[in-house]
Amino acid sequence: GAGVSQSPSNKVTEKGKDVELRCDPISGHTALYWYRQRLGQGLEFLIYFQGNSAPDKSGLPSDRFSAERTGESVSTLTIQRTQQEDSAVYLCASSSLAGVKDTQYFGPGTRLTVL
Amino acid sequence: AQSVSQHNHHVILSEAASLELGCNYSYGGTVNLFWYVQYPGQHLQLLLKYFSGDPLVKGIKGFEAEFIKSKFSFNLRKPSVQWSDTAEYFCAALSGGSYIPTFGRGTSLIVHP
């Protein structure tokens, strides 16, 4: 595709509900990152996928957070039993096989509000 | 662990003023450095990056940044800002061998016409 896309753009949910966020990376990009951005804060790394390797989940804040990626395409971030502190913008980024040193291309983000 | 500090959280300038946004990182080894920009209503996008070589890096839209290893700094500069430079600016660092960049908390720049 032309760029990284994310859906939904906005999600309002009630505390305790599960939510699923989707990321479509740029075609051919093997590396995919999820970040969280709380209001007034920098980007907080959540999880990293690289090709068929095991993902780096070291940034996931709790076991309520999980993510999957189908091959080298779509990724979904799932937050179970949402809490108010989960409210943030969730950003997805992808980069090419060059990986580490390559530019990350960001999606527009999903703004999650937990009431 | 790597950390990135952006000391200016909010900057307000008039058009044609000069700009310098500070960025300091903590890692002492090989480091790759980035500045990203997010214009209102748009995605985060790369402004410029430093991997090696000339420590003065030129980016898009007249921006440049200078890597000063002795000061652990990678400040962003522009000699004359425009109203269209109003945006959020993020500095990021990638330690040698790592694949997870560390981002600063961002600097909000407002340029008055």
Side-chain angles (χ1 to χ4, degrees), chain A residues 7-58:
Chain A
S7 61
S9 55
N10 280 285
K11 177 72 177 178
V12 180
T13 189
E14 293 179 346
K15 178 181 172 181
K17 301 279 190 182
D18 298 351
V19 295
E20 191 172 276
L21 313 179
R22 177 187 169 108
C23 171
D24 281 275
I26 293 173
S27 178
H29 279 191
T30 60
L32 187 148
Y33 297 77
W34 281 98
Y35 296 93
R36 177 170 68 178
Q37 184 179 20
R38 289 181 164 137
L39 190 63
Q41 302 295 315
L43 276 67
E44 176 188 358
F45 165 76
L46 296 177
I47 188 168
Y48 165 73
F49 295 90
Q50 173 62 280
N52 294 317
S53 302
D56 182 332
K57 305 179 180 180
S58 61

Side-chain angles (χ1 to χ4, degrees), chain B residues 13-41:
Chain B
L13 296 172
S14 298
E15 275 195 318
S18 64
L19 170 72
E20 180 160 2
L21 301 182
C23 173
N24 288 92
Y25 62 93
S26 62
Y27 184 69
T30 302
V31 64
N32 302 313
L33 297 158
F34 307 79
W35 275 99
Y36 284 86
V37 61
Q38 187 169 26
Y39 297 104

Side-chain angles (χ1 to χ4, degrees), chain B residues 83-106:
Chain B
W83 173 78
S84 58
D85 293 325
T86 294
E88 190 88 15
Y89 293 82
F90 293 91
C91 181
L94 191 61
S95 305
S98 174
Y99 44 79
I100 301 172
T102 301
F103 284 80
R105 55 182 292 183

Side-chain angles (χ1 to χ4, degrees), chain A residues 60-114:
Chain A
L60 294 178
S62 78
D63 59 7
R64 297 186 295 105
F65 287 72
S66 62
E68 294 183 346
R69 187 178 184 192
T70 309
E72 294 183 353
S73 60
V74 171
S75 176
T76 55
L77 176 69
T78 301
I79 308 173
Q80 296 178 309
R81 304 181 303 281
T82 52
Q83 303 295 312
Q84 289 183 331
E85 62 262 28
D86 299 334
S87 295
V89 175
Y90 289 82
L91 292 168
C92 174
S94 71
S95 63
S96 75
L97 183 60
V100 168
K101 291 189 174 183
D102 198 18
T103 300
Q104 291 192 23
Y105 294 85
F106 284 83
T110 293
R111 183 175 298 278
L112 174 66
T113 302
V114 182

Side-chain angles (χ1 to χ4, degrees), chain B residues 55-73:
Chain B
L56 185 61
V57 180
K58 304 284 188 182
I60 59 172
K61 303 186 179 184
F63 285 91
E64 65 178 32
E66 185 175 11
F67 169 55
I68 303 179
K69 189 173 182 179
S70 61
K71 294 185 178 180
F72 295 84
S73 70

